[in-house]
Amino acid sequence: GPLAEMSLPLFFGWFLLSSVQDKIRCTSMDFLKTLDTLDAFKKHLIDFTGKAEKEVDLEQYFQAKGTLHCTTKFCDYGKAEGAKDYAENQAVNDLYGSVSELSLSALFVTPRTVGARVSLTEEQLVLWPADAEKEADVPAAASLPRGSRAHITLGCSEGVEPVQTGVDLLEILALQQEGQQGELVEEMELGSLTYYGSGRWLLSLREPICAPACFSSYYG
Ligand code: ACK
């Protein structure tokens, strides 16, 4: 395939087309701005600040990192386990450079990251590595359906690496799977907002955001 002669990238993934990147950044900023003003959020501010009285500006609290994407396989230039097999996979080669539509079904915020959950289609799941959920080191997440970790990192707090976003998402989904309903806080314009404790907020979008994205790789 086309990847045979190339060295291995930092990661493979879907890269959002630039027009939709701006739209999603705006949606995310609007959500953070609104969340910031809610009494329910203020009640749990200590999760973010460590101090009860301190204020937080969520738009400043998170830093954006690079172009918006949904990682399929982190290869670390070949050092990551399974990197070579992934790059040689038939579906990966066949679909390299193709555009498909990602469905963003939720936004989530924790003291570490802000991200979007991506709900993959059966066709997209052929590009999903078998062990992605297990490798996240969230024990309760090992039994979640394949693709549960799929996300777009929208921002990280200071000193936090983007790999944390998928871990934060898996922790929320694991709680749901264990039967923790969370605390339904508010019906917002975009959807319903639920609190899962320890500073974890999930906004289930009423209308999923549809984002065209190109399956490709990043060398950095
Ligand atoms: O936001 P992300 O999905 O989290 O996109 C970046 C991308 O690779 C480049 O750093 C993700 N990433 C980093 N380390 C890992 C890892 N060990 N497993 C899975 N994804 C990772 C990071």
Side-chain angles (χ1 to χ4, degrees):
L3 301 171
E5 273 101 74
M6 285 157 78
S7 60
L8 293 182
L10 182 62
F11 67 93
F12 285 89
W14 289 281
F15 295 80
L16 271 58
L17 304 189
S18 61
S19 55
V20 76
Q21 289 200 36
D22 295 340
K23 187 190 150 202
I24 290 164
R25 279 190 215 283
C26 283
T27 305
S28 151
M29 280 300 184
D30 285 347
F31 170 51
L32 291 180
K33 215 181 281 181
T34 307
L35 186 60
D36 229 350
T37 64
L38 298 179
D39 286 338
F41 181 76
K42 288 184 183 153
K43 203 169 89 189
H44 299 289
L45 254 189
I46 196 161
D47 297 327
F48 284 78
T49 59
K51 290 199 198 87
E53 307 303 325
K54 225 172 133 193
E55 301 250 316
V56 64
D57 178 349
L58 284 181
E59 286 176 277
Q60 308 280 316
Y61 183 87
F62 296 109
Q63 279 110 53
K65 308 244 173 179
T67 69
L68 297 186
H69 67 271
C70 175
T71 304
T72 53
K73 175 67 185 172
F74 180 70
C75 292
D76 201 10
Y77 307 109
K79 282 179 283 188
E81 206 183 310
K84 190 161 179 286
D85 285 347
Y86 186 84
E88 288 171 355
N89 179 284
Q90 190 66 50
V92 168
N93 281 269
D94 290 347
L95 292 168
Y96 196 77
S98 67
V99 171
S100 68
E101 309 222 309
L102 296 182
S103 174
L104 281 52
S105 52
L107 300 178
F108 55 94
V109 175
T110 77
R112 298 162 298 279
T113 65
V114 53
R117 180 182 187 190
V118 177
S119 296
L120 299 174
T121 63
E122 290 297 322
E123 290 78 53
Q124 290 164 340
L125 275 171
V126 303
L127 295 169
W128 196 253
D131 292 332
E133 281 71 31
K134 289 178 193 75
E135 282 173 2
D137 217 29
V138 178
S143 60
L144 287 170
R146 282 184 64 226
S148 296
R149 189 179 181 174
H151 69 277
I152 294 167
T153 298
L154 297 168
C156 297
S157 61
E158 211 183 317
V160 171
E161 295 295 331
V163 64
Q164 184 64 41
T165 318
V167 175
D168 285 355
L169 173 59
L170 286 175
E171 283 182 356
I172 294 172
L173 298 180
L175 288 174
Q176 287 180 342
Q177 184 180 245
E178 286 161 13
Q180 286 205 40
Q181 308 283 296
E183 174 194 338
L184 179 64
V185 167
E186 194 144 322
E187 290 297 338
M188 297 172 71
E189 209 177 300
L190 285 171
S192 38
L193 179 70
T194 306
Y195 182 60
Y196 286 93
S198 307
R200 294 170 295 198
W201 300 85
L202 181 83
L203 177 71
S204 295
L205 296 174
R206 214 177 301 285
E207 295 280 341
I209 299 172
C210 178
C214 179
F215 178 66
S216 182
S217 59
Y218 181 84
Y219 283 80

